[in-house]
Amino acid sequence: MAPMIRGLVAVALLGALSGCSLFESSTEGGSGAGPTSTPSANVGFGGPTSARTAPAVVDEAMFRTPSQNIACALTESEVRCDIVRKTWKPPAKPADCELDWGNGLVVSGGEATFTCAGDTLVGTSETTLEYGQALRSGTVRCDSDSAGLTCKDDETGHGFTLAQSRYTLF
């Protein structure tokens, strides 16, 4: 990739991920995910998945799911995925989030939470991560499946599964 284009992609990824640095600091007990977890909209859905295929390894990537309902930005230590249509509701917006809340999920700093962002990743990529395929950058891996998209930081074991009808943070 040409240095100028690579720089533009890096700037776009940094801008997309920078809006997701505000995290919920709830002390509610979730489904065993630790003291900063947020309750799941559908207990028992998702969680760590077993690898079906070896992931394609990339430095960074912006992609969407085949349904075009989920758009993501993936770097070596973070992933943010925004969702267009959802039937679930995120938990209450935390006081420290002054932007839009809960329009997606993010793994940053090894933890998974809802996005607090003033922008969207929707419409930023024409690259599709087909069902049954996976991408890895650094310690973060995303697996696309018709039942939902699962992204996980292998170093911490934290991640999420995101779909139109439900989500899970782990």
Side-chain angles (χ1 to χ4, degrees), residues 112-133:
T113 191
F114 291 88
T115 56
C116 175
D119 62 357
T120 183
L121 296 173
V122 175
T124 60
S125 178
E126 294 184 15
T127 302
T128 300
L129 184 60
E130 298 294 340
Y131 298 137
Q133 291 184 346

Side-chain angles (χ1 to χ4, degrees), residues 111-169:
E111 295 294 323
T113 191
F114 291 88
T115 56
C116 175
D119 62 357
T120 183
L121 296 173
V122 175
T124 60
S125 178
E126 294 184 15
T127 302
T128 300
L129 184 60
E130 298 294 340
Y131 298 137
Q133 291 184 346
L135 281 177
R136 173 184 295 284
S137 180
T139 61
V140 184
R141 175 183 171 135
C142 291
D143 288 87
S144 179
D145 188 276
S146 61
L149 179 74
T150 300
C151 295
K152 173 185 170 186
D153 184 324
D154 285 334
E155 202 167 80
T156 65
H158 293 288
F160 60 80
T161 298
L162 182 60
Q164 180 175 343
S165 62
R166 55 196 169 251
Y167 69 88
T168 299
L169 296 174

Side-chain angles (χ1 to χ4, degrees), residues 20-26 78 94 96 101 106-109 111-114 116:
C20 40
S21 61
L22 299 174
F23 291 92
E24 180 173 8
S25 58
S26 170
E78 299 180 327
D96 64 349
W101 170 253
V106 61
V107 174
S108 182
E111 295 294 323
T113 191
F114 291 88
C116 175

Side-chain angles (χ1 to χ4, degrees), residues 2-77:
M4 178 183 274
I5 294 172
R6 181 179 216 104
L8 290 173
V9 170
V11 168
L13 283 169
L14 288 172
L17 290 170
S18 67
C20 40
S21 61
L22 299 174
F23 291 92
E24 180 173 8
S25 58
S26 170
T27 56
E28 293 179 13
S31 56
T36 60
S37 69
T38 304
S40 170
N42 187 15
V43 176
F45 172 75
T49 59
S50 59
R52 290 185 306 264
T53 62
V57 178
V58 297
D59 289 333
E60 55 194 26
M62 294 185 81
F63 63 90
R64 65 185 180 202
T65 57
S67 67
Q68 298 185 25
N69 192 37
I70 301 172
C72 302
L74 171 68
T75 69
E76 292 185 355
S77 61

